[in-house]
Amino acid sequence: MDSSRWQVGLEPSGIRYVTAADKDLLSAAAGAGVAVPSACKNGVCELCEARLLSGSALNTRNQQTIPVGARLMMCRTAALDHLELEISAVMAAGNNQPRKFQANVVDVSSINHDVYRVELQLPRRRELSFHAGQYLSVNLPDAEPCYFSIASSPAEQNLELHIQASPEWVSAQKVIDALKSGQTVSLELPHGKACLDCAPDKPLLLVAAGTGFAQMKSLVDYLQGTSFSQPVKLYWGVRRHEDMYLRSMARQWENDWPEFSFQPVVGDDDDSEWSGHHDQLVRVVLASGMDLNNVDVHASGSPTMVYTLMDALVEAGLPPEAFFSDVLEYAPRN
């Protein structure tokens, strides 16, 4: 590593990121997508306090070297060497504990024939910490919790959900029927370990089926707010053309973000004039040509789709530890 760039390790989370000699540790963490608590960002609020475990660091306010074992404010500290810091407020992926919240329903709107966009506001948003890609439960009285991916980035004030509801989806339909603008709803979050606590250091392959796109939206929105510069390829599979409810958004990401590319996949579509692929999702992903030895895969969809995809990619050379999906946690195979 170049001498002007240093690695910063955060304990006990185990998160690591790189900082430049001319950057404060808090700004570098933000660029890497690491959620360090902060408010005023000038050392007064002391939310970004950490303890120096090893390495050499400079207090940028008084230009004095910080001794090992001392407290520091990340917003006014620069690295002079590789650093190890202790900061318990930074959570590793999936380690933030679920909590119950009352949220205000801001808006419920239909975005296609059976998918609704739900916007929720938490009165005490600063009390909530979650990672991009996690999910929540909506808890209605006298009903089992209903789980939905959070479609928004952790940086957003409000939470966004994409809920597919129809007479066949009884529990989801009950949620939509119960969510009215101006009312409150009980939530529990965050859930899930297939998420990002910092920007990864290699390319990403994102694979979604149906409303699994919501999780991918959270990941993409989050990464666009960091200095991440690796390729990102999204495959979104649906049964019919009209099921791809935010295809224009994915196309806009592709137009605006040079590192991003989007491949729609339709399994059963009568519109032969549409340019989307008509092959099955897994087969199209396998033909991506990405280096499976140097990629992380995040998948969201039914257990059948996720396990079929995982098995095919691992057989093609993907290390199993590079495959991430909440299905592996809530629907483990025997």
Side-chain angles (χ1 to χ4, degrees):
M1 185 176 297
D2 186 89
S3 61
S4 64
R5 294 174 65 79
W6 310 107
Q7 190 173 88
V8 181
L10 305 180
E11 298 298 337
S13 67
I15 295 173
R16 312 192 79 79
Y17 68 95
V18 173
T19 184
D22 59 350
K23 272 198 170 184
D24 65 80
L25 300 184
L26 183 63
S27 297
V34 181
V36 176
S38 64
C40 62
K41 302 182 182 179
N42 64 6
V44 175
C45 70
E46 299 191 352
L47 290 178
C48 64
E49 178 181 314
R51 188 167 69 91
L52 182 61
L53 299 178
S54 67
S56 181
L58 180 72
N59 184 322
T60 57
R61 178 167 294 182
N62 59 24
Q63 297 300 304
Q64 293 183 358
T65 301
I66 300 170
V68 171
R71 334 169 24 245
L72 57 83
M73 298 301 128
M74 293 179 66
C75 64
R76 62 187 195 205
T77 301
L80 302 174
D81 195 353
H82 303 307
L83 303 180
E84 293 291 330
L85 306 179
E86 181 181 60
I87 177 167
S88 59
V90 176
M91 296 289 183
N95 281 1
N96 29 23
Q97 293 300 308
R99 297 173 53 194
K100 294 186 184 300
F101 294 88
Q102 290 295 314
N104 298 321
V105 180
V106 176
D107 183 61
V108 179
S109 57
S110 174
I111 49 179
N112 84 339
H113 60 285
D114 64 356
V115 176
Y116 295 81
R117 179 186 178 274
V118 176
E119 184 180 357
L120 303 171
Q121 180 187 57
L122 272 63
R124 298 187 302 276
R125 176 64 177 84
R126 284 184 58 184
E127 296 180 8
L128 170 64
S129 175
F130 72 94
H131 293 125
Q134 292 195 287
Y135 60 95
L136 57 73
S137 68
V138 175
N139 303 319
L140 300 179
D142 303 318
E144 291 294 316
C146 290
Y147 295 91
F148 304 102
S149 292
I150 302 171
S152 44
S153 162
E156 296 295 325
Q157 279 299 111
N158 291 352
L159 303 179
E160 179 180 339
L161 309 178
H162 300 164
I163 298 180
Q164 185 175 22
S166 66
E168 294 79 26
W169 299 80
V170 177
S171 59
Q173 187 64 58
K174 285 183 178 179
V175 171
I176 289 299
D177 292 341
L179 298 182
K180 306 297 181 184
S181 296
Q183 295 184 345
T184 61
V185 62
S186 177
L187 310 176
E188 183 177 89
L189 69 158
H191 294 283
K193 297 181 179 179
C195 53
L196 294 178
D197 54 22
C198 62
D201 59 2
K202 54 184 176 179
L204 285 181
L205 178 59
L206 308 179
V207 185
T211 52
F213 175 80
Q215 183 181 30
M216 304 309 156
K217 178 181 179 297
S218 177
L219 297 177
V220 171
D221 285 350
Y222 162 76
L223 289 171
Q224 289 191 95
T226 73
S227 57
F228 182 73
S229 59
Q230 298 281 352
V232 180
K233 190 167 184 67
L234 169 65
Y235 288 86
W236 186 8
V238 295
R239 191 174 69 83
R240 297 173 299 172
H241 179 197
E242 57 266 30
D243 295 333
M244 197 162 286
Y245 56 89
L246 285 178
R247 186 163 66 101
S248 61
M249 176 179 287
R251 286 298 187 203
Q252 194 64 50
W253 292 338
E254 191 172 45
N255 291 335
D256 296 343
W257 192 17
E259 288 78 19
F260 181 85
S261 59
F262 168 54
Q263 179 66 70
V265 183
V266 175
D268 179 20
D269 181 37
D270 294 332
D271 182 5
S272 61
E273 299 302 315
W274 187 54
S275 60
H277 278 244
H278 292 243
D279 299 322
Q280 293 300 315
L281 179 60
V282 173
R283 187 162 63 247
V284 177
V285 173
L286 283 172
S288 68
M290 294 191 75
D291 179 6
L292 295 180
N293 289 309
N294 184 42
V295 67
D296 280 343
V297 179
H298 287 256
S300 183
S302 70
T304 299
M305 185 281 283
V306 167
Y307 282 117
T308 300
L309 175 68
M310 183 180 72
D311 291 343
L313 290 175
V314 169
E315 183 178 354
L318 179 76
E321 62 273 16
F323 188 91
F324 301 90
S325 176
D326 288 317
V327 166
L328 309 185
E329 182 182 359
Y330 72 74
R333 289 194 291 201
N334 296 327

